[in-house]
Amino acid sequence: MSERSVSELDAVVEETLRAAELEYEHPGQGRFVVTLPGTKKLKTVVGLTIGAHALTIEAFVCRQPDENREQLWAWLLQHNARSYGVSWSIDSVGDVYLTGRLPHAVISPEEIDRLLGSVLSHADDHFNTLLEIGFGTSIRREWDWRVKRGESLRNLEAFAAFADPARRPRDPQG
């Protein structure tokens, strides 16, 4: 099996990103920074790096949770089994990423598209859930503060199901 060169793969990645009309930067050979537009997570920034043997992908999803760390880590691990090409991971401080690695032999426009689609799907589809688990108390506190001051709730509307007191589950104790 012949090894594909970094410059050959660089051209494949660049042409794929250009054809998909994605916003990207190309800071050096074998390195790309792609911005994927979303709806819940407005944008996901993805790093693509062509190494000696593989294409590495890394996308920051959210910072370390304020609360319920173990519950969030368990959720991430349970969802890894349903991921294509990427896995949920955390860094040394607990920030949440999607990461993956593809061998040179399988890098093609179709595979890059599938991989970026997987990143976008996981980051965007699950973003509100991650925030509810890891930042729910802060979001509810912010909601209450804005209501009290008559401030706009526009950028919190996605969290109304758990942040709006009228929709919150009632505490049976009181």
Side-chain angles (χ1 to χ4, degrees), residues 76-131:
L76 296 174
L77 288 171
Q78 290 164 1
H79 282 76
N80 272 345
R82 294 182 284 250
S83 297
Y84 178 83
V86 292
S87 298
W88 292 103
S89 59
I90 58 171
D91 67 9
S92 61
V93 297
D95 291 345
V96 177
Y97 290 82
L98 284 161
T99 57
R101 185 180 311 268
L102 289 178
H104 285 183
V106 302
I107 297 173
S108 67
E110 297 79 18
E111 196 59 27
I112 294 166
D113 183 62
R114 262 192 296 282
L115 193 60
L116 291 174
S118 183
V119 168
L120 181 59
S121 174
H122 292 306
D124 198 54
D125 293 351
H126 302 301
F127 188 64
N128 289 351
T129 300
L130 299 176
L131 295 184

Side-chain angles (χ1 to χ4, degrees), residues 139-151:
I139 292 169
R140 284 186 287 276
R141 192 176 313 125
E142 178 71 12
W143 182 286
D144 293 343
W145 181 84
R146 289 184 186 194
V147 167
K148 184 177 179 180
R149 295 181 47 105
E151 302 282 335

